[in-house]
Amino acid sequence: GENVEQHPSTLSVQEGDSAVIKCTYSDSASNYFPWYKQELGKRPQLIIDIRSNVGEKKDQRIAVTLNKTAKHFSLHITETQPEDSAVYFCAASTGGFKTIFGAGTRLFVKA
Amino acid sequence: DVKVTQSSRYLVKRTGEKVFLECVQDMDHENMFWYRQDPGLGLRLIYFSYDVKMKEKGDIPEGYSVSREKKERFSLILESASTNQTSMYLCASSRGQGRDTIYFGEGSWLTVV
């Protein structure tokens, strides 16, 4: 069935460094790729998304890239800050009702 | 601002008990979802509903059922709770299909002893 693999499961960076989280998806019909951030004890919230007709999207310190040929997409966070510490989930959707989530990456930003 | 409210944040139930998890959304969204969150497994879809009284199985429906009698309310039911159902349960809603933002509730921590 459809699957989204996410790596790494845990990532620790120094404040100010960059962080990269990578995901691969199995369903070539996937055309929408959102990223959700879940801070400790809080609900997951959408932080950025990308559609399949775009290769890259930026929003301040975060960016997503998509390689449809390789079925691979990534989240890039630059100049990390302690408040970036959270669990990040990638996801893929074909536009139907089901969105498939990755297993999550726990990001620690050390001050 | 969209609000998805789960009535119970923390529950402890005994094996074999019937458990109800309630969820209400206030944005007139068509779609509602129940996910289960476990470490290392991400968010797995249990059931979803795209309209009142309509329900569809997700990826892990076994041991669960749902009810949607009103548009704003979606309930998850564990007919006979088991210890392997100890988990965090997240309710969510969205306006349209897969390209619309999914709005999550704050989660219900269920422990089955």
Side-chain angles (χ1 to χ4, degrees):
Chain A
E2 303 116 338
N3 186 48
V4 174
E5 292 192 2
Q6 182 171 349
H7 299 280
S9 57
T10 305
L11 179 59
S12 184
V13 300
Q14 205 67 37
E15 182 179 1
D17 288 350
S18 294
V20 180
I21 302 170
K22 299 181 179 182
C23 292
T24 58
Y25 60 97
S26 61
D27 190 344
S28 56
S30 297
N31 54 25
Y32 174 65
F33 307 91
W35 287 85
Y36 286 79
K37 174 184 180 182
Q38 185 179 30
E39 296 177 12
L40 189 63
K42 297 194 175 179
R43 69 191 78 200
Q45 292 188 293
L46 179 73
I47 55 170
I48 195 167
D49 57 16
I50 190 168
R51 298 174 194 269
S52 59
N53 58 346
V54 175
E56 184 176 1
K57 183 177 179 180
K58 288 184 180 179
D59 183 3
Q60 299 182 12
R61 295 186 297 107
I62 60 174
V64 290
T65 58
L66 172 65
N67 182 328
K68 286 173 58 182
T69 303
K71 290 192 281 188
H72 174 273
F73 59 113
S74 301
L75 177 72
H76 303 254
I77 307 174
T78 58
E79 300 172 24
T80 53
Q81 300 168 4
E83 53 264 38
D84 294 328
S85 295
V87 177
Y88 291 81
F89 294 99
C90 64
S93 169
T94 60
F97 291 106
K98 289 177 68 173
T99 298
I100 307 299
F101 286 86
T105 296
R106 185 172 295 277
L107 174 64
F108 296 96
V109 179
K110 296 177 286 186
Chain B
D1 204 20
V2 176
K3 193 157 187 185
V4 179
T5 304
Q6 296 180 231
S7 56
S8 303
R9 291 298 311 275
Y10 304 95
L11 305 96
V12 179
K13 298 292 182 181
R14 294 194 180 279
T15 300
E17 274 193 82
K18 190 169 187 175
V19 181
F20 292 87
L21 299 180
E22 307 285 348
C23 175
V24 177
Q25 51 96 2
D26 66 357
M27 283 301 290
D28 201 36
H29 282 172
E30 304 296 328
N31 309 312
M32 296 190 74
F33 309 86
W34 276 104
Y35 288 91
R36 173 175 169 161
Q37 181 176 6
D38 298 289
L41 297 177
L43 305 175
R44 294 181 293 166
L45 183 63
I46 304 171
Y47 266 96
F48 68 95
S49 169
Y50 54 88
D51 200 354
V52 175
K53 297 192 184 296
M54 304 304 291
K55 59 185 179 184
E56 293 286 344
K57 293 180 180 179
D59 299 315
I60 52 165
E62 296 79 18
Y64 304 95
S65 62
V66 290
S67 173
R68 193 165 181 202
E69 296 297 317
K70 294 184 178 181
K71 190 175 185 179
E72 68 271 18
R73 190 178 297 270
F74 193 36
S75 302
L76 180 69
I77 304 154
L78 287 67
E79 294 289 343
S80 178
S82 64
T83 55
N84 63 11
Q85 292 179 309
T86 291
S87 187
M88 160 77 105
Y89 292 88
L90 285 165
C91 177
S93 72
S94 71
R95 182 170 305 282
Q97 292 194 28
R99 294 191 202 92
D100 280 343
T101 302
I102 297 173
Y103 295 90
F104 288 90
E106 293 203 327
S108 297
W109 283 98
L110 172 66
T111 301
V112 182
V113 298

